[in-house]
Amino acid sequence: MHPSSPGYLTRQDSIAVEGTDDLIIRALLDLNQFHDPLGEALNLGISSATWPLFGMLWPSGMHLAERMAMRPVTGERILEIGCGLGLTSLVAHRRGALVTASDCHPLARAFLDENTRLNDLPPLPYRHGLWGRAALREDGLPVLSAAKDTQLVGLFDLIVGSDILYERDDEGALASFIHAHAAAQSQVWVVDPNRGNRAAFHKRMTLAGFSLHEQLLDRPAMGAAPAYKGRMLTYTRN
């Protein structure tokens, strides 16, 4: 535990991912961390309450990383959306896959770069990826959606994300974002801890031409690992 920048603390852990070697990951110390002195996160619609979420390792992200560790490495283009600390992208990157990580948090790239360095890996491509409308600022001022990181462009053969159905999406922004970056023949992986917004997302993805296969990922508590209930959603478009 050490101060990595004024205003927040980090931790560094060795993370075991089934199917591959352990990874060293720098994360925020806990959910009490917050540091946005220039209002960069606020201008992207990220409130103080949601600010630390990017910097934690979540159970759904572990499941996604394990699935990526079993994926045969080919020349396919892979995109991780809402990557946070980028665990899944790092697994794919270390195995030699062509992967791009993306998120909308202003510190996501810095943490990804540091985690890449900690694991002695070459630079991993990162792009700013924000879907839908930014949330309202807590102070009532207009939200500015501009970001310092390069915007996401291009099409991908495999798009992956974990716990990305966390908010109501009446306009179908997430499905539209995926559709805009998915190749004509593509696959989408979403690991979802049984959020209530899954049904609406299904309908939007069906309209975009994707068929769905669901797999339950329920696991009992084992040792220090808590129980998990969720699903692996695999969408395929041919």
Side-chain angles (χ1 to χ4, degrees):
M1 184 175 66
H2 60 87
S4 58
S5 179
Y8 66 89
L9 295 172
T10 65
R11 59 183 295 161
Q12 186 172 301
D13 296 306
S14 178
I15 304 300
V17 178
E18 185 177 347
T20 188
D21 295 334
D22 294 359
L23 281 159
I24 301 172
I25 297 294
R26 183 182 74 143
L28 290 177
L29 178 63
D30 52 38
L31 288 171
N32 296 319
Q33 306 306 311
F34 174 72
H35 185 63
D36 189 27
L38 301 179
E40 293 178 284
L42 193 60
N43 283 337
L44 290 166
I46 301 171
S47 69
S48 57
T50 59
W51 186 94
L53 300 183
F54 89 97
M56 309 296 292
L57 286 175
W58 300 96
S60 295
M62 293 294 299
H63 280 280
L64 184 62
E66 290 174 0
R67 182 58 62 97
M68 185 60 71
M70 297 185 292
R71 179 81 167 185
V73 176
T74 65
E76 67 181 351
R77 299 154 296 178
I78 302 174
L79 170 67
E80 184 180 7
I81 59 178
C83 71
L85 296 172
L87 179 63
T88 296
S89 290
L90 288 166
V91 167
H93 185 51
R94 187 168 63 181
R95 299 180 69 231
L98 303 177
V99 61
T100 297
S102 68
D103 204 295
C104 64
H105 198 286
L107 284 184
R109 178 166 194 161
F111 273 73
L112 180 69
D113 288 348
E114 176 63 9
N115 286 329
T116 302
R117 185 193 68 79
L118 288 171
N119 291 281
D120 297 320
L121 296 173
L124 196 165
Y126 175 86
R127 295 292 182 267
H128 175 75
L130 173 67
W131 57 83
R133 298 177 180 176
L136 295 176
R137 283 178 54 135
E138 294 174 323
D139 55 12
L141 295 177
V143 170
L144 306 176
S145 60
K148 60 184 178 183
D149 296 306
T150 304
Q151 296 289 324
L152 177 64
V153 296
L155 299 178
F156 297 85
D157 306 301
L158 174 63
I159 298 177
V160 303
S162 60
D163 204 356
I164 54 177
L165 306 180
Y166 50 82
E167 61 184 2
R168 187 170 175 175
D169 184 12
D170 292 333
E171 298 179 354
L174 176 56
S176 296
F177 180 83
I178 291 173
H179 176 62
H181 296 289
Q185 296 187 14
S186 53
Q187 196 170 78
V188 178
W189 293 355
V190 177
V191 177
D192 177 55
N194 294 333
R195 298 284 189 179
N197 302 308
R198 190 172 63 249
F201 180 68
H202 288 347
K203 293 179 181 179
R204 297 285 184 176
M205 292 294 285
T206 299
L207 291 174
F210 288 93
S211 59
L212 169 66
H213 171 74
E214 290 191 35
Q215 177 186 357
L216 291 178
L217 298 177
D218 295 0
R219 288 184 183 176
M222 298 180 64
Y228 179 83
K229 288 185 176 295
R231 299 166 190 255
M232 174 76 183
L233 310 176
T234 302
Y235 296 91
T236 304
R237 182 168 68 184
N238 295 316

